[in-house]
Amino acid sequence: MADLQPIIQIDLLMEELETLAQISEADPPVVTRVVFSGADLRARIHVKELCREAGLSIREDAVGNTFIRWEGLEPSLAPVATGSHIDAIPNAGAYDGVVGVLGGLEAIRSLQRAGYQPRRPIELIVFTSEEPTRFGIGCLGSRMMGGVLTPDHAHTLHDKHGHSLEVLRTEAGFLGDLTSVMLAPGHFHAFVELHIEQGALLEREGLDIGAVTHIAAPASLKVEIEGEGGHAGAMLMPDRHDALCAASELILALEAAAKSTGTLDSVATVGICEVFPGAVNSVPSKVRLETDIRDTDGARRDSVIATMKSAADEISVRRGVQISFQTVNADPPATCNPIIVEAVEKAAATSGLSCRTLVSRAYHDSLFVARFAPVGMIFIPCRGGVSHRPDEYSSPEWIAGGVEVLARTLAFLAG
Ligand code: GLV
Ligand code: MN
Ligand code: MN
C-alpha cells in the first residue's frame, strides 16, 4: 500500500462541507439538523446525489441508515465500511459527523482517482440520528444495527411532541420491518470512522492524527422530582417542598460524584432541566432533569450513578420530595481492533503525518458497530477542542490529512 497515493481534492471537499452546512434549520453559521426534520431529509438527498455522481450505489434500511457502496472486485466478500452521521444537535457546527460522511466519500473518490480497485466492496454508511436530540437516545441507527435497541423498544420511542419514531420514519420514506435493521457479526469485514476529536489534545500537542483505542461508556438517566407547588408570596419557607431546590442539590451532588473519582475520565452533565409550572410567582412542584454520565471505565461510571442515587435518597427524605430515575441507556465502553489501530498508525506514517493513540470521550456510531464488527476511529484536530457549537472548526489541512489516512486504511483493509 506504500506506493498508493490517494488523490485528494480538498477544495472540493471544503466546498461540499460548506454547502451541507447551509442545509440547516437555523441561520448560518449555526447548524441544526434534527433527524427527520426537513433539513435532515434535504441533507440526505444532497449527500446521496454526490455519491451517485461518484458512481456509487445506494441502499437504505427501515430506519434510514444509508449504505453507499463502491463495488469490489470480489462482491461476495464482506465490505470494509466507513461513515458517520449528518444529523446535528441544535446550535451545532459544520464538522461533527459530517467530516466522516463527506470525508468518507472523498476518501473513496481519492482512491478512484488513483486508479485503485478494492478487492472487497467499500461502503460509506450514513447512520440515522447519532444525536439524541429527537428521541432522547443517541446512536439510534447504529444502536439498532448492533441489536442493542430492539424493534420493540424502538416502537415505544416518541419525540417531545408525541410523534412516534414509527410514524416519522414512515413519513420520511423509510419502510419495512424494523427487525431487518440489525446486522449479523461478519456483515462488515471492518469499520473505520473519521471524526473531529471534539477535544483539544491533538491541537495542543501539534499532532495531525489520533488513532482511537477505546470509546468511553455513556449513560443517560431521566430524573423526575416531585415536590409541592404553591404561591411564591404566601407559602412560608419552612412549609416548602420546592422541587427545583431539590433538583439543584441533586445536580451539584452529581457534579461532586464525577469530580470525586480521582480521574478526569469521569464526567457528568445535566443538560436539560424543565420546571413545572414555570411561573415566576409559583413554587416549582415538579422538575424533570436529563443527565449524561460517562467514563472510560464502565464500572466507575456506574459508581457515579450509584452515588447520585444515594444523594437523591438523602435529599428526598430531608426535603420531603419524591425522586425517581429512568435509565435511558447505560452502555459499556468499546475497544478498537488492534489491527485497525495499527493500520491507522501506519497510514499516518506513510502519509508523513504525526499520530498518537487516544481515547474517545464522546460516543460515536462506532461504539455500536463494535458489537458486530471490528472497528477503528481516526481523529483529526478541531480548533480549541470546540464542538457542539457553531464555531466548531477544523482546517482544510487537518481534514485532508484525515481523509488521506482514512483512504489508506480503507485500501489496506479492502485488499
Ligand atoms: C455525541 O454527539 C456525544 O454526545 O458524544
Ligand atoms: Mn455530536
Ligand atoms: Mn459525531
Side-chain angles (χ1 to χ4, degrees):
M1 282 303 134
D3 52 349
L4 173 74
Q5 185 52 61
I7 301 169
I8 293 158
Q9 294 188 352
I10 190 60
D11 292 347
L12 171 68
L13 174 55
M14 295 312 289
E15 257 179 56
E16 289 172 347
L17 286 164
E18 177 59 36
T19 304
L20 194 54
Q22 311 281 321
I23 308 179
S24 167
E25 294 152 62
D27 290 337
V30 178
V31 180
T32 299
R33 215 162 31 229
V34 175
V35 67
F36 301 148
S37 63
D40 178 50
L41 299 180
R42 288 198 303 282
R44 286 168 182 263
I45 290 169
H46 179 72
V47 168
K48 285 187 284 186
E49 191 49 42
L50 294 177
C51 293
R52 279 194 203 97
E53 282 167 16
L56 309 175
S57 62
I58 297 171
R59 169 178 89 78
E60 287 163 332
D61 73 11
V63 79
N65 290 315
T66 304
F67 299 71
I68 297 153
R69 185 170 170 110
W70 183 18
E71 197 51 275
L73 294 171
E74 296 184 42
S76 61
L77 293 180
V80 170
T82 184
S84 195
H85 61 100
I86 57 169
D87 67 318
I89 65 162
N91 205 42
Y95 301 86
D96 174 9
V98 175
V99 162
V101 172
L102 293 179
L105 172 61
E106 181 56 16
I108 289 174
R109 293 184 304 208
S110 75
L111 292 171
Q112 291 174 333
R113 290 182 201 114
Y116 167 80
Q117 295 246 296
R119 189 167 73 88
R120 292 178 179 278
I122 294 182
E123 287 192 355
L124 170 66
I125 318 296
V126 185
F127 295 96
T128 288
S129 196
E130 191 266 354
E131 302 291 6
T133 312
R134 187 149 204 178
F135 298 109
I137 188 157
C139 297
L140 181 71
S142 52
R143 197 180 276 275
M144 293 190 72
M145 252 187 220
V148 178
L149 177 69
T150 62
D152 281 352
H153 187 173
H155 282 295
T156 67
L157 295 176
H158 288 79
D159 69 8
K160 66 177 177 203
H161 305 294
H163 300 131
S164 68
L165 167 63
E166 192 52 21
V167 167
L168 289 166
R169 65 133 184 157
T170 310
E171 283 176 359
F174 304 119
L175 310 173
D177 200 320
L178 289 181
T179 53
S180 60
V181 175
M182 185 178 163
L183 299 179
H187 183 92
F188 293 140
H189 175 66
F191 178 80
V192 194
E193 180 172 1
L194 171 65
H195 206 283
I196 56 167
E197 183 196 341
Q198 304 182 291
L201 213 66
L202 293 173
E203 187 190 37
R204 226 176 262 154
E205 295 183 2
L207 298 173
D208 306 305
I209 298 290
V212 174
T213 56
H214 298 84
I215 305 171
S220 176
L221 285 87
K222 290 183 179 175
V223 189
E224 252 191 50
I225 298 148
E226 215 151 344
E228 196 186 330
H231 194 287
M235 203 174 194
L236 298 180
M237 296 313 278
D239 298 333
R240 293 195 184 196
H241 304 281
D242 183 320
L244 184 57
C245 290
S248 310
E249 282 200 45
L250 187 63
I251 293 168
L252 293 177
L254 174 59
E255 182 192 45
K259 280 178 158 175
S260 72
T261 60
T263 162
L264 296 175
D265 292 336
S266 315
V267 288
T269 308
V270 178
I272 293 180
C273 175
E274 288 170 5
V275 181
F276 185 83
V280 68
N281 56 352
S282 180
V283 177
S285 61
K286 205 189 305 183
V287 170
R288 233 178 50 74
L289 305 177
E290 292 192 26
T291 65
D292 178 307
I293 304 155
R294 312 189 194 196
D295 205 306
T296 48
D297 181 318
R300 196 167 51 212
R301 190 267 325 269
D302 290 342
S303 77
V304 170
I305 294 174
T307 306
M308 167 178 70
K309 285 184 170 171
S310 30
D313 288 343
E314 189 276 319
I315 294 164
S316 149
V317 171
R318 180 163 43 78
R319 286 187 168 271
V321 298
Q322 306 289 321
I323 304 182
S324 60
F325 292 90
Q326 183 207 337
T327 302
V328 178
N329 63 288
D331 304 298
T335 302
C336 293
N337 180 281
I339 296 170
I340 303 180
V341 177
E342 198 185 320
V344 170
E345 291 176 312
K346 280 195 178 144
T350 308
S351 308
L353 298 171
S354 52
C355 176
R356 62 163 281 174
T357 54
L358 44 62
V359 166
S360 171
R361 296 173 191 283
Y363 58 69
H364 301 284
D365 293 302
S366 294
L367 183 68
F368 295 97
V369 178
R371 300 293 187 104
F372 64 96
V375 302
M377 289 195 74
I378 299 165
F379 274 1
I380 55 168
C382 55
R383 187 179 56 199
V386 165
S387 184
H388 283 185
R389 276 173 30 185
D391 55 338
E392 182 178 82
Y393 176 75
S394 185
S395 73
E397 294 72 28
W398 285 334
I399 294 173
V403 171
E404 179 166 352
V405 171
L406 176 62
R408 288 186 188 283
T409 306
L410 292 175
F412 166 75
L413 295 166

